[in-house]
Amino acid sequence: KGAATSSVLVHRCRFVDQVPDPVESLQYDPSCSRLAVLRANSDIELWSLSEGGWFREAYVPGVPDTPVRRLALGSRTASHPDGRLFSCGLHGVVTEWDLARLSPLDNYDSLGGAAWSLALHAGSARLAAGCEDGGVTVFGVVEEGLENVYRLPARGGRVLSLAFSSSGGQLVAGGADGSVRLWALGGGGAARHTWRHSCQFVLESEGRKRPPLVWDVLLLPDSLVVTADSSGRVCFYDGRHGTLVNRFRSHEADVLALAATGDGSHVFASGVDHKVSLFTPQPEELKPHQQPLAIFNLAAPRPPRQYLLNCSRRPHTHDVRALLVIEPPSSSSSSAAAPAPA
């Protein structure tokens, strides 16, 4: 008898080796637990937090030859129930996105060439864009879009980083020439909407021909300015006078990202060496006892807080280009760092 034959169905599978693009920017809206993610290919993702965890709510594919650098995420309002999202890029345009249709809603000229940085203060309804010419453009955020443009004069190199104070009354900018500049809103009357230059200082070059690049800046509640630069240092400066308070050589390469809790009790830094460092204020028992100073019966200003390098970890194997601190609404003292690996 011949050998028995049978047929077998074969299912052929092919799997795509998908490599995600690096994360360039992170923005979080605590009012609705929504996270905006910008990737290196200009893709924009919106993530929301539910009882089951994080899920991707919306996705906007990037436009070719449109290098988007930074995002700014605004809260939901009655006229904008889906929230507000702004972006800027090297094409010199600040874009507001229609989150219902996932398409650009309106475009605005940065007035200074390529826009490298973006900062939004929702409480004061101000949006600032750092430009290639070294200037900063401050927009007023209204229901209809952006208006009341105020142009801060160009000084030095391109503005790589921006940050508002918690009150929105101060703005700090870090430049490619190693300079850090601060502006403050004027007093009452007609000057209350006028920005004045309050302080400026330059990071030390340590024997190099050029000062380091200031990749990121923070403005803490007590007027402390935190800088992250291309020499691997994290520095704390007194924003009132521009004097150095603390300097840490905590990283082996460029420090690209900073993040802090609302009260400034935890400051995180990370960058090219994929190490996340934590800085905390110096405990009271370690501070030297100083008698309060008084000059002509006037109390001297309180000295700025001193910081210590608390710890460091390496949770990633690639560059970390964005950091974000999400504080639980039930406790303002506890925090969690959410680093975004590149």
Side-chain angles (χ1 to χ4, degrees):
K1 297 180 180 179
T5 59
S6 62
S7 59
V8 178
L9 296 178
V10 177
H11 182 68
R12 185 178 183 181
C13 297
R14 289 186 178 182
F15 297 96
V16 179
D17 186 13
Q18 182 182 6
V19 179
D21 286 276
V23 173
E24 289 284 347
S25 178
L26 291 172
Q27 292 294 319
Y28 181 69
D29 180 15
S31 63
C32 58
S33 300
R34 174 187 275 185
L35 176 69
V37 179
L38 171 66
R39 297 191 178 272
N41 63 346
S42 300
D43 287 354
I44 299 176
E45 303 172 3
L46 288 177
W47 294 76
S48 293
L49 182 62
S50 65
E51 295 181 357
W54 290 95
F55 69 94
R56 194 171 75 174
E57 176 185 349
Y59 168 73
V60 182
V63 180
D65 301 326
T66 306
V68 181
R69 287 282 303 177
R70 291 293 182 265
L71 293 178
L73 183 61
S75 302
R76 294 173 176 173
T77 62
S79 57
H80 296 84
D82 296 310
R84 308 187 72 172
L85 179 67
F86 301 92
S87 67
C88 73
L90 305 185
H91 52 315
V93 174
V94 176
T95 302
E96 181 175 5
W97 293 85
D98 187 341
L99 296 181
R101 301 180 179 179
L102 301 180
S103 62
L105 180 62
D106 211 342
N107 294 317
Y108 305 88
D109 191 350
S110 68
L111 304 178
W116 289 84
S117 53
L118 196 66
L120 173 67
H121 188 267
S124 59
R126 294 186 181 95
L127 179 71
C131 303
E132 175 72 24
D133 66 347
V136 177
T137 305
V138 182
F139 300 91
V141 182
V142 296
E143 295 295 335
E144 295 77 18
L146 301 180
E147 63 176 21
N148 301 327
V149 180
Y150 191 89
R151 178 71 176 163
L152 303 180
R155 295 181 182 179
R158 65 172 65 110
V159 179
L160 298 176
S161 51
L162 283 172
F164 279 103
S165 63
S166 57
S167 64
Q170 287 181 296
L171 177 65
V172 60
D177 59 347
S179 64
V180 178
R181 292 172 286 160
L182 285 93
W183 293 271
L185 282 175
R192 68 182 184 275
H193 298 299
T194 303
W195 291 91
R196 58 179 178 83
H197 189 260
S198 61
C199 184
Q200 180 174 351
F201 53 91
V202 180
L203 273 63
E204 296 182 8
S205 58
E206 292 188 345
R208 296 181 175 88
K209 293 183 179 179
R210 297 180 180 179
L213 306 175
V214 185
W215 287 120
D216 205 358
V217 289
L218 288 177
L219 193 51
L220 300 184
D222 51 357
S223 296
L224 268 181
V225 178
V226 190
T227 64
D229 60 53
S230 58
S231 64
R233 295 177 302 181
V234 176
C235 302
F236 293 77
Y237 287 88
D238 186 350
R240 299 168 296 181
H241 312 291
T243 55
L244 180 65
V245 178
N246 295 112
R247 179 173 56 194
F248 302 93
R249 188 62 182 267
S250 54
H251 296 262
E252 302 170 3
D254 297 45
V255 184
L256 303 178
L258 293 171
T261 55
D263 58 358
S265 60
H266 296 75
V267 178
F268 300 89
S270 190
V272 174
D273 64 351
H274 55 84
K275 179 170 66 174
V276 180
S277 300
L278 169 63
F279 304 89
T280 54
Q282 180 178 334
E284 292 292 336
E285 58 269 16
L286 298 181
K287 296 181 181 179
H289 179 71
Q290 297 179 349
Q291 295 293 335
L293 299 178
I295 303 175
F296 299 109
N297 296 326
L298 297 176
R302 184 179 180 181
R305 286 188 293 181
Q306 300 283 332
Y307 276 74
L308 300 174
L309 176 58
N310 189 302
C311 64
S312 60
R313 299 288 186 270
R314 293 184 185 270
H316 303 286
T317 57
H318 295 77
D319 301 0
V320 178
R321 303 184 186 181
L323 281 174
L324 184 68
V325 174
I326 300 177
E327 299 184 73
S330 59
S331 174
S332 58
S333 60
S334 60
S335 61

